[in-house]
Amino acid sequence: MNNIDKQYQALLQDILDNGVEKKDRTGTGTISVFGRQIRHKMSDGFPLITTKKMAWKTMVTELLWFLKGDTNIKYLVDNDCHIWDGDAYKRYVNSPEVKIPYSKEDFINKIKTDKEWEEKWGDLGPIYGKQWRSWKKSDSFIVEDDVWKNDEGWCSLKDFNKDELYIDQIATLINDLKTNPDSRRLLVSAWNPADLPNQVLPPCHYGFQVYTRELIVNERILIAETNTEIIPGFDSHFDTDEDVHKVLDTWDTPRRAISLMWNQRSVDTFLGLPFNIASYGLLLEIIAKEVNMVPDELIGNLGDVHLYSNHVEQAKEQISRTPYELPKLNIFEPAIGKEISILDNLHIWSPTCFIIENYQSHPTIKAPLSN
């Protein structure tokens, strides 16, 4: 069942019918509505929009980049992902140091081949990856060159305790899910007001929260029947549900379902939102795998939901298309002989480990990106 395409098309129509004209930082102009929500059951299929062809590898590459804690576009361009090129190039062109700028193509080529250039111009500031994996405890220390200072004085960075300087929000989330899955504090924030001036672009999707619930015995049986060769009706041989649960535990059948809700202040609905939906769907799948839970519901809370003025005709074209059935996601672990954590071994995992199967879509609809 594909309700996500229908919701997305309805949102495009909502903007066309009810949007107001607004100016924006890019100078393009938008029509905009405020405060919308989308919801998707992961059991209905992976939420990759089918009413236009989506660049799956590009989206996966960006998410892995976030999870690595990286903020330099070198990893992206090396993996043929160019959605942040414009932001890096804009920062370069607008720098007072630059008198006669390189072309964008030459700029990206230097990112690939010139280490010094990449380090200076490839970094986008403390954006998503930095906040997710290394939120700086700015009130407790300062860093200058190769030393850092806390209340006790200056120390070498070689000897520092990273946990004292930074908060790894993703690692904390995984630990909390394993130790206190009913917590109401299972969230990650990318919105750090102290770092906003140093970012090429303040986070559009600025935070997400997860929620878990215990699965009833019948839900677990259905999962076991999908993943394990069991005899239908095996549970009739046991006196209580708890006895069945114990047997299912021996097969490592998940005990809980997990949902994810992300919050987004600014939504480029035609180009950006389909990426956001799929990216957070994949993030939900990755987190669920890490903690042995079942992906349940994906929810997006959307603030300023807009169409750029040069995307209107493209939106109308997409609205006219009939959705296909949703595809399925398969995660293939790197062939190293044992099951490994994704988040603890991101240097091993690559976009090719995340395969979309049975993806049928309408053709791509091209539209300009406003930076």
Side-chain angles (χ1 to χ4, degrees):
M1 181 184 301
N2 184 354
N3 285 322
I4 192 68
D5 263 290
K6 294 177 182 178
Q7 290 182 68
Y8 177 69
Q9 288 173 311
L11 185 58
L12 292 175
Q13 190 64 58
D14 181 11
I15 299 171
L16 293 175
D17 292 342
N18 303 304
V20 297
E21 292 186 3
K22 295 189 70 175
K23 298 178 181 179
D24 73 288
R25 65 176 177 83
T26 72
T28 307
T30 68
I31 50 175
S32 167
V33 296
F34 184 67
R36 300 295 189 266
Q37 186 181 79
I38 57 171
R39 306 180 77 101
H40 172 69
K41 292 291 291 185
M42 296 296 287
S43 58
D44 289 341
F46 189 82
L48 191 63
I49 295 296
T50 69
T51 44
K52 67 179 178 185
K53 187 175 182 179
M54 295 294 298
W56 170 248
K57 180 178 179 290
T58 297
M59 191 280 299
V60 178
T61 300
E62 183 195 46
L63 179 60
L64 293 178
W65 181 63
F66 290 160
L67 289 172
K68 285 162 63 71
D70 201 349
T71 59
N72 193 299
I73 65 169
K74 178 69 161 60
Y75 173 83
L76 298 180
V77 298
D78 284 348
N79 285 278
D80 199 27
C81 175
H82 297 284
I83 53 181
W84 286 89
D85 288 4
D87 296 285
Y89 185 65
K90 183 177 180 180
R91 170 182 266 191
Y92 159 73
V93 169
N94 291 337
S95 170
E97 297 180 41
V98 178
K99 305 304 180 184
I100 304 176
Y102 286 100
S103 69
K104 186 176 179 180
E105 181 180 359
D106 288 341
F107 172 82
I108 297 303
N109 284 333
K110 286 183 70 66
I111 293 290
K112 293 180 180 180
T113 59
D114 187 326
K115 180 68 174 176
E116 184 176 349
W117 182 272
E118 167 233 316
E119 290 178 349
K120 181 171 184 177
W121 297 112
D123 193 78
L124 303 177
I127 59 170
Y128 298 98
K130 176 72 172 178
Q131 306 303 336
W132 283 13
R133 305 308 306 264
S134 300
W135 180 292
K136 181 181 175 183
K137 297 180 180 179
S138 57
D139 59 343
S140 62
F141 75 97
I142 57 175
V143 173
E144 290 183 6
D145 297 325
D146 61 346
V147 294
W148 66 283
K149 182 180 181 182
N150 62 10
D151 294 337
E152 298 178 359
W154 292 96
C155 304
S156 169
L157 276 176
K158 297 178 181 178
D159 303 320
F160 79 99
N161 179 350
K162 186 176 181 180
D163 291 339
E164 186 177 345
L165 274 64
Y166 299 100
I167 300 170
D168 186 337
Q169 293 189 84
I170 298 295
T172 299
L173 174 67
I174 298 301
N175 179 71
D176 290 349
L177 281 167
K178 293 177 177 178
T179 59
N180 187 17
D182 285 323
S183 172
R184 297 187 293 270
R185 303 175 183 180
L186 303 171
L187 57 90
V188 170
S189 176
W191 191 266
N192 186 341
D195 278 342
L196 297 182
N198 301 316
Q199 299 170 343
V200 293
L201 182 67
C204 294
H205 40 102
Y206 59 87
F208 66 91
Q209 180 178 357
V210 296
Y211 171 93
T212 79
R213 64 174 178 85
E214 291 187 348
L215 294 166
I216 62 175
V217 70
N218 288 340
E219 289 178 306
R220 296 190 74 201
I221 290 172
L222 288 174
I223 295 168
E225 288 176 343
T226 301
N227 300 330
T228 311
E229 292 185 5
I230 65 171
I231 301 173
F234 84 98
D235 52 305
S236 63
H237 300 287
F238 298 92
D239 295 328
T240 67
D241 283 353
E242 188 55 37
D243 290 334
V244 180
H245 277 303
K246 290 178 180 178
V247 173
L248 293 169
D249 287 342
T250 66
W251 295 330
D252 206 26
T253 305
R255 276 263 186 175
R256 285 180 175 263
I258 181 170
S259 297
L260 183 149
M261 177 174 69
W262 87 90
N263 297 302
Q264 191 160 346
R265 65 170 180 88
S266 176
V267 187
D268 176 351
T269 309
F270 185 75
L271 287 180
L273 183 56
F275 262 66
N276 302 137
I277 294 169
S279 182
Y280 277 104
L282 178 56
L283 180 61
L284 175 55
E285 292 274 2
I286 289 173
I287 293 172
K289 180 176 174 61
E290 287 287 302
V291 296
N292 193 29
M293 296 183 187
V294 179
D296 195 3
E297 191 170 19
L298 179 68
I299 304 163
N301 292 323
L302 312 176
D304 186 317
V305 186
H306 52 266
L307 278 172
Y308 282 101
S309 58
N310 53 4
H311 294 172
V312 170
E313 295 307 313
Q314 293 93 326
K316 291 178 180 178
E317 168 63 24
Q318 192 164 356
I319 291 169
S320 72
R321 295 177 171 182
T322 301
Y324 294 105
E325 289 300 306
L326 291 176
K328 177 183 178 182
L329 171 71
N330 276 317
I331 300 177
F332 294 95
E333 297 181 0
I336 63 171
K338 63 179 181 179
E339 183 173 324
I340 62 171
S341 161
I342 298 176
L343 295 175
D344 290 341
N345 298 276
L346 283 163
H347 62 289
I348 298 175
W349 291 81
S350 72
T352 58
C353 296
F354 303 89
I355 305 299
I356 285 291
E357 295 185 347
N358 302 321
Y359 180 50
Q360 186 177 8
S361 74
H362 290 268
T364 300
I365 305 175
K366 293 185 178 181
L369 176 64
S370 295
N371 290 119

